[in-house]
Amino acid sequence: MTQRRSLSYLLAVLLGIVLAVLLFTPLRFAALSWVGIPVSIRSVQQMPFVFSVPVRVSGVVGDRAPLVDALLYELQDNTGSIWVLSPDSTVQSGERRTVQGRLMFESIVIDGDEQGAVYLLASE
């Protein structure tokens, strides 16, 4: 009987650790993306030093900047905005989109000050 209780306790502790990791680390973005649940743009931007993490965000397309073989566009939700680099050049301003991709950072140093930005590299 005590072995069964010890095993139950151990499983409960392991489940608690797994849940804590998923709730309080960037791995939650990967887990939510894997099951198809978008996260807020603000929550993505609050993890600025964790890159190449798969995320899924939803919002309305704002400004667009066409590039050779790609499109850079701003995606806005009620918590903020993020730039998306996408191979899909058919995206239009005002369109509602859900985008899955990897969180990236582009460093831009101007007069010794970091002016870089977090962006989403779409996997469409």
Side-chain angles (χ1 to χ4, degrees):
M1 191 68 159
T2 58
Q3 284 182 332
R4 183 172 278 189
R5 181 176 282 171
S6 296
L7 182 60
S8 295
Y9 177 76
L10 179 62
L11 289 175
V13 168
L14 287 174
L15 180 61
I17 291 170
V18 167
L19 286 174
V21 166
L22 289 177
L23 290 174
F24 301 110
T25 70
L27 291 177
R28 74 177 182 267
F29 297 132
L32 291 171
S33 179
W34 184 72
V35 295
I37 300 173
V39 295
S40 73
I41 291 173
R42 179 180 292 160
S43 68
V44 169
Q45 291 174 329
Q46 289 176 342
M47 296 298 233
F49 298 107
V50 179
F51 305 112
S52 209
V53 174
V55 297
R56 182 184 298 254
V57 293
S58 290
V60 176
V61 176
D63 292 333
R64 302 168 59 244
L67 305 171
V68 176
D69 296 328
L71 179 68
L72 186 63
Y73 62 89
E74 185 180 29
L75 191 67
Q76 305 166 340
D77 70 6
N78 60 351
T79 67
S81 66
I82 192 167
W83 286 93
V84 178
L85 180 59
S86 172
D88 183 0
S89 61
T90 64
V91 177
Q92 298 297 316
S93 294
E95 183 179 335
R96 176 161 272 301
R97 307 266 307 176
T98 297
V99 183
Q100 182 167 334
R102 295 202 172 271
L103 192 60
M104 306 299 281
F105 180 80
E106 184 66 36
S107 177
I108 303 168
V109 179
I110 300 173
D111 292 331
D113 290 329
E114 177 62 57
Q115 302 294 320
V118 174
Y119 69 96
L120 188 62
L121 180 59
S123 58
E124 300 173 51

